[in-house]
Amino acid sequence: EYGLFNMAYGWLNVFLFMLIIGGIILDKIGPRKTGIGACLLMIIGCSLKYYAVSRGFEGVVFGMRTQVFIASIGFAIFALGIEMAGITVTKVIARWFNGYEMALAMGIQVAVARLGTALAMSTAIPLAKHFESLSAPILLGLGALCIGLIAYLVFCVMDRRLDASIAQVGADNEDAFKTRDILDVISNKGFWLIALLCVLFYSAVFPLLKYATSLMINKYNVSQDLAGMIPAILPFGTILLTPLFGGIYDKKGKGATIMLIGAFMLVVIHALFAAPFLNIWWFATFLMILLGIAFSLVPSAMWPSVPKIIPQNKLGTAYASIFWVQNIGLSLVPLLIGWVLDTYCIVNLPNGDTKYDYTLPMIIFMCFGILAVLVAFMLKREDKIKGYGLERPNIKK
């Protein structure tokens, strides 16, 4: 059920192509209206999920318990909003920081987002236990989303002032969408390599985080109260490291090399997670720290590299298409891991209890990392051929 619930992330984004449509809307009507719409979708989706979790339901819908089905619908709506918000914010930063510290700015944005991830992972179980309610953490998230909407409304005022004070070259046509823009994006080999690297890399990280608490309990014998703290190291680590690596990319370049190093680290880390030794908490902590470094390297270079491959007026469509490909992995991989765990990884203990053996899921994640290394190498080669400038600094002197 948990794997099926997480698959709902892609119901609208992937299977109904709403994420790509959202990117087209972004390029057509601009970031202010799109961003406000994305915030409202997140609030609606989270409210529906809170309603489902806070109340008891009976019956079955489409083979799912009614409560799980309603929560999944809410999660699907929330997922559409958060992905639209992601592409909107990324395009905004690319516009505001073009020719300046773009990678640093995107790194700081990612760092702030990871702070939310870390707080969710580390506080969910303590909040649920303290208030004796599974819905308490969701209510806190709903409140945070409302604050986020207010923050974005403030930004919209700032963005309108920017339009009024700066005469931008081609500003009248920046948000105009043309059908051929999609063809220009999907016919670009560099775009597809970035998209493949994105889906492979994130498929080896985010689905792992969804099962990381269970991994800590079953493999590393961490108590339930502390099991969420070790995985929380990863997003907390990226808060500092992603802006740091982004600043290096801005000043020194080597974006393709940074992505290649991060992908290779992913392979080594998952191989050690799969290894049947050192099943103790401090080794899991060490691996999470390494994973945090890898998780900082690739995004810090990947997202600022897209504007070097795709023109500004097509960035909304490009980022939406990349996020769409990424969402395929984020939707299907958790379901795959849940099926593998239930089918092949249940271990019967001498005392009659059962636990999960995470060796096979970690090998699957390692295979994603191997493919990511190959794609990162191909991207570096393509950059050398086409001259995208991925190895050059972002700051224009």
Side-chain angles (χ1 to χ4, degrees):
E1 285 183 335
Y2 185 61
L4 202 60
F5 165 78
N6 278 292
M7 185 186 178
Y9 199 91
W11 286 357
L12 300 178
N13 286 332
V14 176
F15 304 119
L16 294 184
F17 300 95
M18 291 302 296
L19 185 51
I20 294 179
I21 294 173
I24 295 172
I25 292 172
L26 171 59
D27 282 334
K28 187 173 181 62
I29 70 174
R32 291 193 286 267
K33 293 179 181 178
T34 306
I36 293 172
C39 291
L40 291 174
L41 283 172
M42 285 189 284
I43 290 173
I44 293 170
C46 189
S47 299
L48 190 57
K49 182 181 175 183
Y50 173 73
Y51 172 74
V53 176
S54 62
R55 295 173 61 90
F57 294 91
E58 297 180 356
V60 176
V61 180
F62 298 118
M64 303 170 64
R65 287 192 296 121
T66 303
Q67 184 183 41
V68 178
F69 176 75
I70 296 175
S72 297
I73 292 293
F75 192 41
I77 296 172
F78 170 83
L80 175 60
I82 197 172
E83 292 296 324
M84 286 182 63
I87 60 175
T88 301
V89 169
T90 306
K91 181 174 180 176
V92 164
I93 294 176
R95 173 172 174 254
W96 276 58
F97 291 89
N98 184 31
Y100 300 94
E101 293 85 352
M102 186 192 301
L104 176 61
M106 288 188 179
I108 293 173
Q109 182 267 322
V110 170
V112 175
R114 296 292 178 264
L115 177 61
T117 305
L119 289 173
M121 294 180 65
S122 60
T123 63
I125 293 179
L127 279 172
K129 286 190 172 183
H130 177 75
F131 292 101
E132 298 182 349
S133 170
L134 287 174
S135 61
I138 306 173
L139 183 61
L140 177 63
L142 180 59
L145 288 171
C146 293
I147 296 172
L149 172 60
I150 295 172
Y152 198 79
L153 290 173
V154 173
F155 161 77
C156 288
V157 176
M158 298 169 61
D159 195 58
R160 190 178 293 276
R161 289 176 180 173
L162 178 68
D163 286 344
S165 61
I166 301 177
Q168 293 180 330
V169 178
D172 292 338
N173 298 323
E174 181 180 342
D175 292 330
F177 171 74
K178 302 179 181 64
T179 305
R180 66 172 181 269
D181 289 348
I182 299 179
L183 298 177
D184 291 341
V185 170
I186 64 176
S187 62
N188 189 311
K189 185 177 179 181
F191 159 80
W192 280 111
L193 290 173
I194 285 279
L196 285 174
L197 177 61
C198 177
V199 67
L200 290 168
F201 183 82
Y202 281 110
S203 292
V205 178
F206 279 122
L208 168 65
L209 287 180
K210 292 183 181 297
Y211 288 95
T213 301
S214 176
L215 171 67
M216 296 300 118
I217 295 171
N218 286 273
K219 181 177 174 66
Y220 295 99
N221 301 311
V222 181
S223 68
Q224 289 189 10
D225 291 337
L226 300 176
M229 302 301 293
I230 294 178
I233 293 173
L234 187 148
F236 272 123
T238 60
I239 293 171
L240 297 175
L241 294 177
T242 306
L244 173 63
F245 294 139
I248 293 173
Y249 183 21
D250 283 328
K251 297 176 182 177
K252 304 296 182 181
K254 303 298 180 183
T257 302
I258 291 173
M259 287 184 271
L260 183 60
I261 294 172
F264 179 76
M265 288 183 64
L266 206 59
V267 177
V268 176
I269 293 163
H270 285 309
L272 292 174
F273 267 128
F277 55 80
L278 291 178
N279 297 337
I280 46 181
W281 69 269
W282 65 261
F283 188 64
T285 304
F286 171 71
L287 292 180
M288 278 295 171
I289 293 173
L290 289 182
L291 186 59
I293 296 173
F295 195 40
S296 302
L297 280 167
V298 174
S300 70
M302 181 167 59
W303 299 121
S305 294
V306 178
K308 293 185 175 183
I309 299 174
I310 303 296
Q312 283 278 335
N313 66 325
K314 303 170 186 174
L315 274 182
T317 302
Y319 277 122
S321 301
I322 292 173
F323 278 41
W324 179 77
V325 175
Q326 171 189 320
N327 271 256
I328 295 176
L330 296 184
S331 300
L332 298 181
V333 173
L335 184 64
L336 170 66
I337 298 301
W339 176 79
V340 168
L341 284 169
D342 277 342
T343 307
Y344 300 106
C345 303
I346 296 178
V347 178
N348 295 313
L349 300 176
N351 61 2
D353 292 337
T354 60
K355 73 172 186 177
Y356 287 115
D357 180 358
Y358 271 87
T359 302
L360 184 55
M362 293 302 109
I363 292 175
I364 293 173
F365 288 136
M366 183 181 70
C367 291
F368 285 134
I370 293 172
L371 293 174
V373 170
L374 294 176
V375 173
F377 179 80
M378 293 170 63
L379 179 62
K380 186 174 181 178
R381 182 175 179 273
E382 185 71 9
D383 175 58
K384 187 176 295 185
I385 296 172
K386 297 290 180 64
Y388 294 129
L390 304 186
E391 296 288 275
R392 294 196 295 269
N394 294 320
I395 298 176
K396 297 177 182 179
K397 297 181 180 180

